[in-house]
Amino acid sequence: MNLNLLLFGVYPYIAGTVFLVGSLVRYDREPYTWTSYSTQLLGSRRSLTWGSNLWHIGILFIFLGHFVGLLTPAFEWLHVPPVAHQWIAASAGVTFGLLALVGGLLLLGRRLSNSRVRAASHASDLFILLWLLATLGLGLATQVVTVPNLLAGHVADMEILSRYLQGIVAFQPHPGLLAHVPWIYRLHLLFGMTLFLVFPFTRLVHIWTVPVNYLWRAYQLVRARPGMGE
């Protein structure tokens, strides 16, 4: 088995299986660890508010952009030319990627600089935040290749990535498609797939039970003792 087949033909399904089965097992066996481990009352609320909002807005739109742009024919349905599609994707990716990057760095700085937040943190909290930031950084770095290609009217690499990911989701993998794709794209893919692999062992599991009902429930007032926040 060659390395390309192992990394891009087999590894995605290993990561996906661990993602699904691991999440179910954790929910069943360790339900009290199914939390985001909020540190809202342990340090600066200003840095948490800015960091958390920028981070979540950026990440959510990046996820939505990847899903719509790479896994659905939405732009084809709208008759958007491929080059225009990629310009939209690149512009949105950089915009929301930078928002998430700033937010993530604020959260990282808070977690490392505040002794109470640091004491309440798990090793996996720091690991997953650093891994997410690295994955995000690699995604932004792909623009070094994407933008010059777009200026030349070249969108073949992005079309190949889209076909590859659609094949993975449809259980018809074609890892050979990535043989000549620039390494930065492949590295970003590997980091992204590894997020699914480690997902069940981190605080990211709370994504499964995102409290959508917060959008319409009554507000709750949380008060901190004097001196515990800014």
Side-chain angles (χ1 to χ4, degrees):
M1 182 181 294
N2 62 54
L3 185 60
N4 190 68
L5 176 60
L6 178 63
L7 293 179
F8 299 106
V10 177
Y11 184 54
Y13 295 106
I14 294 175
T17 301
V18 173
F19 169 67
L20 294 173
V21 176
S23 295
L24 289 171
V25 170
R26 179 170 175 180
Y27 187 77
D28 180 61
R29 300 188 62 178
E30 300 180 32
Y32 296 109
T33 69
W34 197 277
T35 172
S36 62
Y37 298 109
S38 175
T39 57
Q40 180 180 356
L41 301 180
L42 298 180
S44 169
R45 283 181 287 176
R46 182 179 299 118
S47 61
L48 176 62
T49 298
W50 278 101
S52 181
N53 286 336
L54 290 173
W55 173 256
H56 284 93
I57 290 171
I59 289 295
L60 287 172
F61 276 96
I62 288 172
F63 175 80
L64 181 63
H66 278 64
F67 179 80
V68 173
L70 293 172
L71 295 177
T72 74
F75 284 88
E76 294 180 18
W77 293 340
L78 296 172
H79 303 290
V80 177
V83 174
H85 169 191
Q86 296 308 326
W87 273 118
I88 293 171
S91 301
V94 170
T95 300
F96 290 108
L98 289 175
L99 286 180
L101 182 62
V102 171
L105 290 174
L106 285 172
L107 294 175
L108 179 63
R110 178 178 180 273
R111 190 166 293 278
L112 293 176
S113 64
N114 188 291
S115 59
R116 286 176 294 186
V117 175
R118 189 167 62 251
S121 300
H122 298 76
S124 62
D125 298 337
L126 185 59
F127 167 79
I128 198 60
L129 182 54
L130 289 171
W131 195 271
L132 282 163
L133 285 170
T135 306
L136 179 62
L138 286 169
L140 289 169
T142 62
Q143 301 306 315
V144 175
V145 176
T146 300
V147 172
N149 283 345
L150 285 174
L151 290 171
H154 174 65
V155 296
D157 288 338
M158 299 308 298
E159 291 178 343
I160 288 172
L161 289 170
S162 181
R163 287 171 54 201
Y164 165 74
L165 290 172
Q166 290 173 17
I168 291 294
V169 172
F171 295 98
Q172 297 177 340
H174 300 288
L177 289 172
L178 301 180
H180 301 293
V181 168
W183 66 268
I184 189 68
Y185 292 120
R186 285 178 283 171
L187 188 58
H188 180 52
L189 275 172
L190 287 174
F191 268 65
M193 288 186 286
T194 302
L195 283 174
F196 287 92
L197 183 73
V198 301
F199 180 97
F201 313 104
T202 70
R203 64 166 57 201
L204 291 181
V205 292
H206 77 278
I207 295 172
W208 283 117
T209 48
V210 60
V212 178
N213 62 309
Y214 278 27
L215 296 174
W216 57 79
R217 78 168 194 178
Y219 284 108
Q220 289 182 333
L221 182 61
V222 179
R223 298 183 184 277
R225 286 187 296 174
M228 291 191 68
E230 294 182 5

